[in-house]
Amino acid sequence: MATDSSVEPRVLAIILGGGKGTRLYPLTKERSKPAVPFGGKYRIVDIPISNCINSGYRKIYLLTQFNSASLHLHIINSYNFDRFSKGFVEILAAEQTPEHSGWYEGTADAVRKNLMHFRAQRPTHYIILSGDQLYRMDLKAFMDEHIKSGAEITIAAKAVNRSDASGFGIMKVDDSNRITEFMEKPAKDMNIDDWKIPEASRGSLPANLEYLASMGIYIFDAKTMEEMLDNEYGDFGKEIIPEAIKTRQVNSYVFDGYWEDIGTIRSFYEATLDLTNPIPNFDFYNAQKPIYTHMRNLPPSKINDASLTATLASEGCIINRARLQRSVIGVRSIINEGCDLSGVVMMGADYYENDDEKKAKIKSGTPFIGIGKNCKINKAIIDKNASVGDNCCINVNGKHYEDGDHGLFYSADGIIVIRKGAVIPAGTVI
């Protein structure tokens, strides 16, 4: 039964923190996927949270169970609503209760195990979002369309071509956008011509985008969600949604803006460097809909006789007589003279080293946090608090490394990843 459209909805947003994040390893070695730094000064989780806030939805739960300590700290430092707004961003990590004793066993199971917390807010609707996607969406427009349609469940969908369709859950819809069938990742050689978007539902979509892929973003009427979770199904996409389509009105909502699932090292790297383009796919420079994050009260960046081309430098950086091209430099980054960086994602540091720490490092011959003198670095991700010594060369000699762990560094799709807190001795060549 659809909710009465004349009643102002009470919306609860649920952001799914994901699993172990193995495809983003080693960035997820010590943190959950939503806590991975992005864009110099943000965390990935800031994107869905900001979409909620900018849409007027300020009751937000974040479900996570792996490496959640840094995520907790970021949320506490970033999102504090005044008492009059009645808003909150709260993390619900997997917990033992008299009813549940184990880990989350999938997206639906994570929501099911927290229903007792959600019910206290008396929501009429739930919006379920992913914690590792890059996009801007007016969630209120999404909700308005859901209520107007009379659907019990609405799934945000992205139009894709046949090649990309094999990587997603694909939906068959009728002329009224009602979903009649759902198929998880059809094989590339499978004929799915009868799953093409009906002409009546195409609107102004490009001709080559013929199929609707689920974005993993859902709106549920509250009563419907409780009923659909009254079972042991673990996953929304693989189990709950296909089952709901059989007996419920499930509609699609076509999203035509930029959307990127940044769940792999390659997609993370490319999405980050895209920010350096004159007109990036994802725009942080929107005064009406800002992306919120931790207010650090850092000083302005200091650029001393350096050349920066197509580069983002966050606050609190010190860059001395270096050359940077198409790079994203995180907060408190220190880059010394003679360095040449191209295609580098540098996540910065959590703190500045004090004099005593520097003296101890000089005595032990350990490089300071940041990048030392005369380093050449190409196509690399340098995670937080890493120390790269003088005269290091990283990914500039054309050598190919197999994907995986190589001791001092990690390789993924030709991208070199220097781990969080790693120490790269002076003169190292990778």
Side-chain angles (χ1 to χ4, degrees):
M1 178 71 71
T3 304
D4 183 354
S5 60
S6 66
V7 178
E8 186 66 26
R10 296 187 301 275
V11 179
L12 197 63
I14 302 170
I15 299 174
L16 302 174
K20 293 181 179 179
T22 53
R23 295 185 302 158
L24 260 182
Y25 187 89
L27 302 182
T28 51
K29 183 176 185 291
E30 299 179 13
R31 57 169 82 92
S32 61
K33 281 195 293 184
V36 172
F38 180 77
K41 59 179 288 183
Y42 305 93
R43 304 287 184 123
I44 294 175
V45 74
D46 293 327
I47 308 301
I49 290 176
S50 296
N51 279 329
C52 291
I53 293 172
N54 290 329
S55 301
Y57 302 139
R58 300 193 172 201
K59 294 184 176 182
I60 305 164
Y61 283 107
L62 179 58
L63 309 189
T64 186
Q65 65 182 348
F66 294 103
N67 288 334
S68 57
S70 64
L71 184 61
H72 275 265
L73 187 61
H74 175 72
I75 295 300
I76 290 169
N77 287 331
S78 305
Y79 300 100
N80 296 296
F81 298 104
D82 65 67
R83 69 181 66 183
F84 301 106
S85 73
K86 298 181 181 179
F88 58 83
V89 180
E90 184 174 333
I91 292 177
L92 293 175
E95 62 180 351
Q96 289 191 339
T97 69
E99 292 81 20
H100 308 292
S101 60
W103 292 103
Y104 297 150
E105 301 295 337
T107 54
D109 186 61
V111 173
R112 179 187 301 110
K113 287 177 176 173
N114 286 290
L115 281 173
M116 59 182 176
H117 301 300
F118 304 152
R119 291 183 187 117
Q121 302 301 325
R122 299 172 56 245
T124 58
H125 296 83
Y126 293 97
I127 289 183
I128 299 178
L129 308 167
S130 172
D132 57 358
Q133 296 175 350
L134 182 62
Y135 64 101
R136 282 185 182 274
M137 182 186 288
D138 183 346
L139 298 176
K140 187 178 187 307
F142 183 19
M143 177 63 69
D144 289 345
E145 183 61 30
H146 168 80
I147 294 173
K148 179 182 176 183
S149 72
E152 296 175 80
I153 304 169
T154 302
I155 304 174
K158 187 74 178 166
V160 298
N161 59 33
R162 177 60 188 91
S163 176
D164 290 341
S166 295
F168 295 97
I170 301 300
M171 301 175 289
K172 181 188 285 189
V173 299
D174 62 19
D175 290 347
S176 63
N177 292 320
R178 181 165 183 168
I179 301 170
T180 57
E181 292 185 66
F182 183 90
M183 175 170 35
E184 187 73 19
K185 297 181 180 179
K188 289 188 180 294
D189 59 353
M190 181 179 180
N191 186 335
I192 57 171
D193 287 349
D194 60 340
W195 288 67
K196 289 181 179 179
I197 306 169
E199 285 300 320
S201 301
R202 289 195 57 82
S204 58
L205 291 172
N208 67 317
L209 304 182
E210 299 180 301
Y211 302 92
L212 284 183
S214 171
M215 296 167 62
I217 298 173
Y218 315 109
I219 289 178
F220 279 79
D221 288 354
K223 184 173 182 292
T224 299
M225 190 171 82
E226 294 231 9
E227 291 171 352
M228 293 309 304
L229 290 176
D230 187 17
N231 48 54
E232 296 184 356
Y233 290 140
D235 192 81
F236 278 110
K238 295 177 182 177
E239 298 169 299
I240 296 294
I241 296 302
E243 192 65 28
I245 289 169
K246 298 175 184 177
T247 58
R248 308 284 180 152
Q249 182 177 343
V250 184
N251 278 27
S252 67
Y253 175 82
V254 180
F255 175 69
D256 61 0
Y258 171 73
W259 174 77
E260 181 66 45
D261 184 340
I262 44 180
T264 67
I265 292 293
R266 165 65 67 179
S267 60
F268 172 84
Y269 177 80
E270 291 179 348
T272 303
L273 287 193
D274 181 76
L275 300 173
T276 68
N277 291 332
I279 304 177
N281 286 310
F282 186 86
D283 180 19
F284 278 108
Y285 299 87
N286 186 325
Q288 281 69 48
K289 295 184 177 181
I291 301 300
Y292 299 95
T293 192
H294 180 196
M295 298 292 290
R296 299 176 177 85
N297 299 317
L298 288 172
S301 287
K302 186 188 298 184
I303 314 296
N304 297 317
D305 194 24
S307 170
L308 278 66
T309 305
T311 292
L312 303 182
S314 304
E315 62 262 41
C317 298
I318 301 174
I319 304 174
N320 294 317
R321 294 190 292 281
R323 180 172 175 264
L324 282 66
Q325 297 183 77
R326 200 162 188 258
S327 296
V328 176
I329 308 302
V331 294
R332 302 185 189 88
S333 291
I334 298 176
I335 303 171
N336 286 290
E337 55 263 30
C339 287
D340 191 336
L341 276 60
S342 178
V344 173
V345 177
M346 185 174 180
M347 294 183 176
D350 291 316
Y351 57 91
Y352 294 115
E353 293 175 297
N354 60 38
D355 290 341
D356 290 338
E357 289 169 327
K358 289 181 178 179
K359 287 176 183 176
K361 285 194 168 185
I362 291 172
K363 188 174 181 180
S364 65
T366 304
F368 298 154
I369 289 178
I371 300 177
K373 300 176 182 178
N374 304 314
C375 292
K376 298 188 183 304
I377 306 175
N378 177 60
K379 201 174 182 181
I381 299 172
I382 302 174
D383 205 340
K384 278 195 168 187
N385 306 330
S387 303
V388 179
D390 297 344
N391 304 306
C392 289
C393 291
I394 299 176
N395 214 18
V396 296
N397 57 10
K399 184 175 180 180
H400 175 74
Y401 294 95
E402 294 292 325
D403 287 0
D405 193 338
H406 295 268
L408 282 178
F409 65 95
Y410 190 92
S411 178
D413 286 333
I415 301 160
I416 299 298
V417 183
I418 305 300
R419 292 183 182 81
K420 182 178 181 181
V423 177
I424 308 299
T428 299
V429 176
I430 295 175

